[in-house]
Amino acid sequence: TEGATAIHADDKGDLTIDPKVFPAAVAADLPAHIAEALANHQLPLNHVAFEAPVDTAAWRDKPTFYVISTKDKVIAPEAQKFFADKMKAETTDVAGSHASLVVHAKDVAAVIEKASFVK
């Protein structure tokens, strides 16, 4: 995706998204000044976060829910669907970017609330 190709590591292995690409790739549905501020204040993520082995995945034994951001340019919606299907998750689609947690906060909160009542 456009956003994934804009992820770069520094000499310590910390990953950030190119601030010039960030607004369009991560937060296209936020006002430009907010997307630019997010781009300039993003915190790096170290690559080892993706390399740690998982012994037990909770989704194997518990009900799961997944909000698919259909306009995401960081994690392709097709990949999100693949992840959700693998987890047998109940899905909710929102027509939003990678920033769907902010832009579609009510929809995301409704999914979280629904999941909180599942035993």
Side-chain angles (χ1 to χ4, degrees):
T1 62
E2 176 185 343
T5 59
I7 298 171
H8 304 290
D10 65 14
D11 57 352
K12 296 177 188 171
D14 291 331
L15 306 171
T16 56
I17 297 176
D18 181 333
K20 292 179 180 127
V21 177
F22 188 104
V26 177
D29 40 8
L30 287 172
H33 70 283
I34 294 174
E36 290 167 7
L38 291 172
N40 293 324
H41 293 91
Q42 64 181 304
L43 297 174
L45 175 66
N46 196 277
H47 68 90
V48 297
F50 299 106
E51 298 167 1
V54 176
D55 295 329
T56 305
W59 57 263
R60 293 188 187 274
D61 302 318
K62 299 180 187 231
T64 58
F65 298 80
Y66 199 113
V67 177
I68 297 173
S69 300
T70 62
K71 296 181 180 181
D72 197 323
K73 294 180 182 176
V74 177
I75 303 173
E78 299 80 15
Q80 295 177 56
K81 175 103 172 75
F82 172 80
F83 301 148
D85 288 347
K86 178 88 172 164
M87 294 184 287
K88 297 180 177 68
E90 179 179 323
T91 61
T92 300
D93 290 2
V94 294
S97 70
H98 198 67
S100 288
L101 289 171
V102 176
V103 179
H104 295 279
K106 287 182 182 179
D107 296 317
V108 173
V111 172
I112 293 169
E113 187 172 279
K114 183 175 183 178
S116 72
F117 289 106
V118 175
K119 301 279 182 198

